Amino acid sequence: AGASKYSYFHTEVPPDSPRIVDVLMRAFGHQLLVDGCFNADPHAGNFLLSDDGRIVFIDFGQTKHLTRKERIAAALMYMALMKKDKQRIVQMSRSFGYKSKFFNEDV
């Protein structure tokens, strides 16, 4: 195998962590809520930090497409979660068809 044109290094805490998290959240939020096509396997192994500070997304082998209706429902669910609106979360979960063995509303 040939030498890679990229150099990799590992740090315990990535430099500029708050900016990195902000960019990741905005990028994944845009994919999910605006584009409707998103990486369905978002974890730290699926992005790199370039030497110039850019975030490089890799491995889009698992993606999901959402309809406009699904994107709106996801946005409403995120709002209910942010507001800690338990009644709305339970109502939406049931309307989406989410099921659990006991459907414990306190979990």
Side-chain angles (χ1 to χ4, degrees):
S4 173
K5 67 178 182 176
Y6 302 104
S7 61
Y8 302 97
F9 64 94
H10 173 78
T11 60
E12 291 302 317
V13 177
D16 199 9
S17 295
R19 181 194 67 82
I20 293 167
V21 171
D22 182 64
V23 170
L24 289 171
M25 295 301 291
R26 287 174 188 273
F28 283 116
H30 192 277
Q31 289 176 14
L32 179 71
L33 298 174
V34 177
D35 297 332
C37 178
F38 64 98
N39 183 333
D41 189 24
H43 60 78
N46 281 345
F47 72 91
L48 305 170
L49 299 175
S50 67
D51 290 339
D52 62 1
R54 290 178 297 152
I55 297 173
V56 181
F57 292 96
I58 60 173
D59 189 5
F60 280 83
Q62 186 175 0
T63 59
K64 173 74 174 150
H65 295 268
L66 298 178
T67 65
R68 183 174 191 275
K69 182 178 177 181
E70 290 169 326
R71 293 192 319 264
I72 291 169
L76 292 172
M77 178 61 92
Y78 294 141
M79 290 296 295
L81 289 165
M82 183 185 78
K83 292 179 178 181
K84 298 181 179 168
D85 184 345
K86 179 180 168 182
Q87 182 178 357
R88 181 80 169 148
I89 294 166
V90 169
Q91 179 268 325
M92 289 184 76
S93 296
R94 287 189 171 138
S95 72
F96 294 159
Y98 296 146
K99 295 180 179 167
S100 68
K101 187 172 182 177
F102 301 108
F103 208 92
N104 183 345
E105 295 178 7
D106 293 321
V107 175

